[in-house]
């Protein structure tokens, strides 16, 4: 019988903690066998603000997933988010060491190390990912895997994602306190991208926007590789609070109204559609046109799109890409719970002037009904990321950030005495 590995994704989001258990076969195909969620109360804008509540939510979500999958979870891939995340692009250059000029794994690793040293973050920051985007052999770029090729000079362009050490340590501490080992930290939009994007999207150029409860995380791919990441501190929670203030209704009621009747564009609401709104401190509910609710949501949805558009400007300037250039030809893929707002894709397409679609988890089999919502993109993507790390070549594995995370683990050991 073919050997299978069990890999687990743990997404500690601002609104929910979610665990997805996948069985991965030798070809790297993922079969989801368990899912567990629990409300998250100890997170703000993607970072831990309450260790105890977050630890409890992790335990609950893991327990539920264990029951469904019938397995004991020991180690997890954990998603990272929050405004503290920074990213930069760095270049490494080395001379090929072998006499016959055939490039070996050692040359590639030295080259990536050179890029890492060039972008060495300050004492307070840790590298979360060091992702090679492009290898250049003797001036020829676009090389995906240079091992085995002949050349004198090897260069690499990398995308480096860093985070504040203490913020990452707090996240790891919660996971460790829930008696779980951390396989790897994975940036939220990178994980979500694994679940909702296709290789063609990445090749054509695509903007992945995971709009959750407290954050909007962006991952921008050009020419196949991730070249820009940013986490913006705004999400569905802001929409709910606008509704609560605008309609003078409790937050819980505002959330219900948003899920049942909300839309990102007021024009989605038909004339004469009515909704019932509970008043604060008053028993008698009001009847209002649905359009009023949508008119409250639309400016916030537009604000989120404005923030994304500003980031796109930065990317275009950095990579000298014209706004009419087709390099982001696959457009924007929206995921995360807020992507479920009807009309958000249409609003995004108009505002960002590019094609837009909503992406939900794909590329897996198993209990797909249980994970078939954009809410699960990150957790499913973590399992896919893990599966890819297990099946890809040793060269690629050496450069996927595991080494750097190892250092953070040692650092954590120093700080917390091992847990
Ligand atoms: N059907 C829906 N329509 C509109 N919004 C929705 C819908 N379902 C969920 N949401 C919103 O999605 C948000 C939660 O999304 P998600 O689960 O992706 O967030 P999270 O991962 O917990 O948070 P973050 O990624 O920001 O840390 C909430 O604000 C919720 O109100
Ligand atoms: Mg999320």
């Amino acid at each position: 019988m073919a050997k299978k590995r069990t890999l687990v994704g743990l997404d500690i989001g601002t609104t929910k903690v979610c665990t997805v258990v996948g069985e991965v076969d030798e070809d790297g195909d993922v079969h989801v066998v368990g899912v567990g969620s629990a409300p998250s109360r100890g997170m703000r804008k993607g970072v831990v603000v309450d260790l105890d509540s977050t630890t409890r939510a992790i335990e609950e979500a893991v327990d539920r997933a264990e029951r469904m999958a019938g397995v004991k979870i020991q180690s997890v891939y954990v998603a990272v988010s929050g405004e503290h995340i920074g990213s930069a692009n760095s270049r490494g250059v080395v001379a090929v060491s072998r006499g016959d000029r055939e490039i070996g794994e050692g040359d590639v690793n030295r080259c990536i190390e050179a890029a890492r040293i060039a972008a060495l973050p300050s004492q307070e920051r840790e590298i979360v990912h060091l992702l090679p985007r492009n290898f250049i052999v003797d001036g020829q770029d676009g090389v995906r895997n240079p091992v085995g090729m002949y050349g004198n000079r090897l260069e690499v362009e990398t995308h480096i994602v860093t985070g504040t050490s203490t913020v990452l340590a707090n996240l790891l501490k919660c996971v460790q306190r829930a008696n779980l080992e951390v396989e790897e930290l994975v940036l939220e939009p990178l994980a979500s991208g694994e679940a909702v994007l296709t290789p063609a999207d990445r090749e054509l150029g695509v903007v992945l926007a995971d709009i959750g409860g407290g954050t909007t995380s962006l991952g921008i791919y050009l020419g196949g590789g991730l070249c820009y990441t940013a986490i913006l501190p705004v999400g569905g929670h802001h929409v709910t609070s606008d509704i609560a203030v605008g309609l003078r209704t409790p937050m819980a009621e505002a959330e219900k109204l948003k899920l049942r009747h909300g839309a990102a564009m007021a024009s989605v609401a038909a004339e004469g559609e009515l909704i019932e709104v509970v008043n604060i401190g008053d028993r008698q509910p009001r009847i209002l046109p649905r359009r009023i609710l949508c008119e409250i949501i639309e400016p916030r949805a537009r604000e989120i799109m404005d923030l994304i558009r500003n980031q796109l400007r930065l990317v275009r300037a950095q990579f000298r890409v014209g706004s009419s250039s087709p390099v982001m030809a696959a457009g924007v893929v929206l995921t995360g719970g807020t992507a479920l707002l009807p009309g958000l894709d249409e609003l995004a397409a108009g505002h960002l002037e590019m094609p837009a679609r909503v992406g939900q988890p794909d590329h897996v089999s198993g209990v797909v009904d249980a994970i078939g919502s954009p809410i699960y993109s990150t957790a499913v993507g973590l399992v896919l990321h893990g599966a890819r790390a297990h099946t890809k070549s040793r060269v690629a594995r050496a450069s996927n950030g595991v080494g750097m995370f190892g250092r953070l683990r040692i650092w954590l050991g120093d700080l917390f005495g091992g847990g």
Side-chain angles (χ1 to χ4, degrees):
M1 218 174 95
K3 220 173 121 213
K4 285 186 180 161
R5 299 182 64 104
T6 300
L7 299 182
V8 181
L10 176 65
D11 173 21
I12 308 170
T14 310
T15 59
K16 52 99 190 51
V17 176
C18 176
T19 307
V20 166
V21 185
E23 280 180 350
V24 184
D25 67 20
E26 280 172 336
D27 298 327
D29 292 332
V30 174
H31 190 77
V32 174
V33 292
V35 191
S37 281
S40 175
R41 292 193 189 88
M43 302 283 290
R44 247 180 89 78
K45 297 177 182 175
V47 308
V48 178
V49 291
D50 181 334
L51 293 172
D52 288 340
S53 310
T54 303
T55 305
R56 273 200 303 277
I58 294 170
E59 285 167 346
E60 254 177 69
V62 165
D63 185 60
R64 285 177 191 154
E66 281 179 338
R67 282 166 203 267
M68 183 167 172
V71 295
K72 178 92 188 101
I73 295 172
Q74 269 150 0
S75 64
V76 288
Y77 286 82
V78 180
V80 187
S81 180
E83 238 186 320
H84 65 105
I85 293 293
S87 76
N89 292 303
S90 171
R91 195 177 259 257
V93 188
V94 292
V96 174
S97 57
R98 267 173 59 152
D100 66 1
R101 299 288 170 246
E102 187 181 319
I103 298 168
E105 285 187 9
D107 295 315
V108 173
N109 289 340
R110 273 193 307 119
C111 197
I112 292 168
E113 181 63 11
R116 190 184 69 79
I117 289 167
L120 213 56
S122 66
Q123 282 269 304
E124 299 81 42
R125 297 188 73 75
E126 285 293 322
I127 294 177
V128 180
H129 293 287
L130 201 171
L131 304 160
R133 292 191 297 121
N134 180 28
F135 287 98
I136 303 157
V137 178
D138 289 347
Q140 176 62 58
D141 71 357
V143 176
R144 282 287 148 80
N145 183 359
V147 175
M149 288 176 73
Y150 291 106
N152 290 303
R153 177 187 160 99
L154 176 66
E155 291 170 71
V156 66
E157 288 175 340
T158 60
H159 182 63
I160 297 188
V161 178
T162 61
T164 303
S165 307
T166 47
V167 177
L168 296 173
N170 286 331
L171 182 72
L172 289 178
K173 191 169 188 182
C174 295
V175 181
Q176 287 172 345
R177 282 167 68 173
N179 292 318
L180 297 164
E181 253 183 63
V182 179
E183 290 274 355
E184 194 185 331
L185 292 176
V186 185
L187 189 72
E188 181 182 53
L190 188 69
S192 300
E194 289 283 352
V196 305
L197 299 179
T198 63
D201 288 330
R202 292 189 183 88
E203 216 45 64
L204 285 168
V206 72
V207 180
L208 184 278
D210 183 319
I211 313 180
T215 62
T216 290
S217 50
L218 293 181
I220 298 176
Y221 294 79
L222 294 178
L226 188 68
C227 72
Y228 189 86
T229 43
I231 316 278
L232 312 171
V234 56
H237 185 77
H238 299 80
V239 175
T240 305
S241 108
D242 290 347
I243 297 169
V245 172
L247 295 182
R248 281 171 285 115
T249 193
M251 279 294 279
E253 197 58 33
E255 177 74 13
K256 272 191 219 157
L257 285 172
K258 180 178 82 172
L259 302 194
R260 274 192 213 140
H261 308 291
M265 295 201 296
S267 56
V268 168
E271 210 55 52
E273 269 187 282
L274 298 175
I275 56 169
E276 202 178 271
V277 179
V278 172
N279 289 330
I280 292 177
D282 185 355
R283 296 251 171 98
Q284 205 59 2
R286 282 167 293 160
I287 305 294
L288 294 175
R290 180 183 171 215
R291 195 181 175 90
I292 290 185
L293 170 71
C294 301
E295 278 171 356
I296 294 172
I297 298 174
E298 183 168 332
R300 185 63 85 166
R302 284 187 184 278
E303 188 207 350
I304 295 175
M305 292 308 150
D306 274 342
L307 294 171
I308 296 177
R309 196 169 53 183
N310 291 345
Q311 297 292 318
L312 295 185
R313 279 203 194 109
L314 294 177
V315 175
R316 288 191 171 113
Q318 192 178 337
F319 293 90
R320 295 189 188 87
V321 174
S323 60
S324 57
S325 158
V327 283
M328 289 181 221
V332 57
V333 179
L334 305 169
T335 196
T338 301
L340 288 167
L341 263 183
L344 194 70
D345 48 350
E346 202 182 324
L347 186 87
H351 219 75
L352 304 174
E353 297 173 68
M354 51 171 58
R357 67 170 204 261
V358 174
Q360 52 196 40
D362 199 1
H363 320 305
V364 293
S365 59
V367 291
V368 285
D369 286 353
I371 46 136
S373 155
I375 284 174
Y376 299 113
S377 299
T378 308
V380 171
L382 286 168
V383 178
L384 286 163
H385 175 92
R388 193 200 282 263
H390 274 283
T391 42
K392 69 186 165 184
S393 78
R394 284 200 357 254
V395 174
R397 204 158 55 222
S399 59
N400 74 353
V402 176
M404 269 125 327
F405 172 57
R407 278 211 325 281
L408 179 62
R409 222 185 316 227
I410 293 164
W411 185 86
L412 262 179
D414 292 345
L415 191 68
F416 300 121

